[in-house]
Amino acid sequence: MVTKFEGAINCMVDVFHKYSLEHGHPHAMNRKAFRKLIETECPELLTNPKDPKTVETLLKEVDSNKDDLMNFEEYLFMITRLMVDAHEASHK
Amino acid sequence: MEACSLKNSLKIFVDTFHKYSNISGNKDALNRREMKTLLNKEMPHFIKNSKDLKNVSHLFEELDTNQDADVDFKEFAVMIARVVMETHEKMHENAPPGQGHSHGPGLEGPVKGKCGQ
Ligand SMILES: [Zn+2]
């Protein structure tokens, strides 16, 4: 049985595939899949009063190879940023 | 097991970091000893199978990019991303043969004593 922490790491892999597989490609998310991911898992990013974003701008921010998809590596970059934000928020 | 969601996992990462960073010294960073305890207590199954996590001293030096002898949260987050990457690779290594995309167990390794394992 994995620990809670290990489970949270496995979950990061599962979350990506949950949305990517639904839209056809296991390791890259198109705009539709990305939208679903954000709206389901982290809608606050779109409604942050200080810095409201759209799905398009969020995807642009993470899509470093500019193919209009978020691949698994780009996803890891995004969750690293979300972790850092969550840590900062925990000190407020 | 807790339900898997992005938010829930983020919270677990932050809370676990603080649980160990609070032990001594800088309350918002992990020293070598705290890091070692965290790995042993929170990732006992993963450290057995992960190349990345095996050598704590080496890992620590690699993560401590600003070389202040402490791993701050940013550096810790980079480690998690690396472990997620390695987990995904393992899931594909352990995937059952066949067509299509599938995952096997990740860094925890196959479950023993289960039918078919
Ligand atoms: Zn996969």
Side-chain angles (χ1 to χ4, degrees):
Chain A
M1 195 59 183
V2 295
T3 64
K4 189 167 153 183
F5 192 83
E6 291 171 330
I9 287 177
N10 287 342
C11 167
M12 291 289 88
V13 176
D14 294 346
V15 165
F16 182 88
H17 289 77
K18 186 173 155 200
Y19 301 94
S20 67
L21 284 170
E22 197 185 333
H23 292 275
H25 194 297
H27 297 140
M29 252 185 235
N30 62 19
R31 192 174 306 236
K32 241 184 167 167
F34 183 72
R35 175 182 297 277
K36 188 93 182 275
L37 166 89
I38 299 296
E39 286 176 351
T40 316
E41 304 285 338
C42 222
E44 292 85 347
L45 292 175
L46 304 171
T47 56
N48 180 356
K50 276 199 195 135
D51 185 18
K53 297 240 161 91
T54 63
V55 169
E56 281 67 31
T57 52
L58 283 170
L59 181 57
K60 265 211 187 93
E61 275 177 26
V62 295
D63 180 23
S64 40
N65 67 359
K66 299 198 177 17
D67 60 357
D68 281 326
L69 301 167
M70 177 172 72
N71 63 32
F72 194 72
E73 272 175 54
E74 290 163 347
Y75 166 73
L76 292 177
F77 175 77
M78 180 179 85
I79 56 172
T80 306
R81 274 201 355 214
L82 292 178
M83 278 188 259
V84 171
D85 288 349
H87 173 249
E88 270 164 26
S90 81
H91 284 288
K92 281 194 184 127
Chain B
M1 190 93 284
E2 290 193 43
C4 165
S5 78
L6 183 64
K7 253 181 237 170
N8 203 0
S9 294
L10 293 176
K11 189 173 166 8
I12 292 170
F13 297 144
V14 173
D15 290 351
T16 307
F17 176 84
H18 286 148
K19 182 172 156 195
Y20 295 90
S21 70
N22 269 324
I23 296 174
S24 66
N26 183 343
K27 298 273 189 253
D28 208 28
L30 299 166
N31 60 32
R32 209 173 281 257
R33 184 191 296 250
E34 289 164 341
M35 178 69 144
K36 205 172 172 171
T37 317
L38 185 153
L39 292 175
N40 285 325
K41 291 225 169 110
E42 307 294 336
M43 292 195 266
H45 309 94
F46 282 17
I47 49 175
K48 275 189 230 142
N49 298 311
S50 163
K51 284 186 219 108
D52 231 11
L53 301 176
K54 220 162 235 162
N55 186 338
V56 180
S57 305
H58 182 75
L59 174 73
F60 197 86
E61 261 138 50
E62 249 182 54
L63 292 174
D64 181 21
T65 41
N66 63 1
Q67 302 196 326
D68 61 353
D70 270 329
V71 164
D72 63 23
F73 190 84
K74 230 181 221 156
E75 293 163 341
F76 182 71
V78 170
M79 180 195 83
I80 305 244
R82 271 168 49 169
V83 179
V84 176
M85 180 73 137
E86 205 188 349
T87 295
H88 184 227
E89 281 163 11
K90 259 281 171 317
M91 286 175 171
H92 278 280
E93 260 173 49
N94 293 334
Q99 294 209 322
H101 178 272
S102 62
H103 286 168
L107 285 171
E108 69 273 26
V111 186
K112 288 187 189 81
K114 254 200 181 171
C115 179
Q117 297 280 348

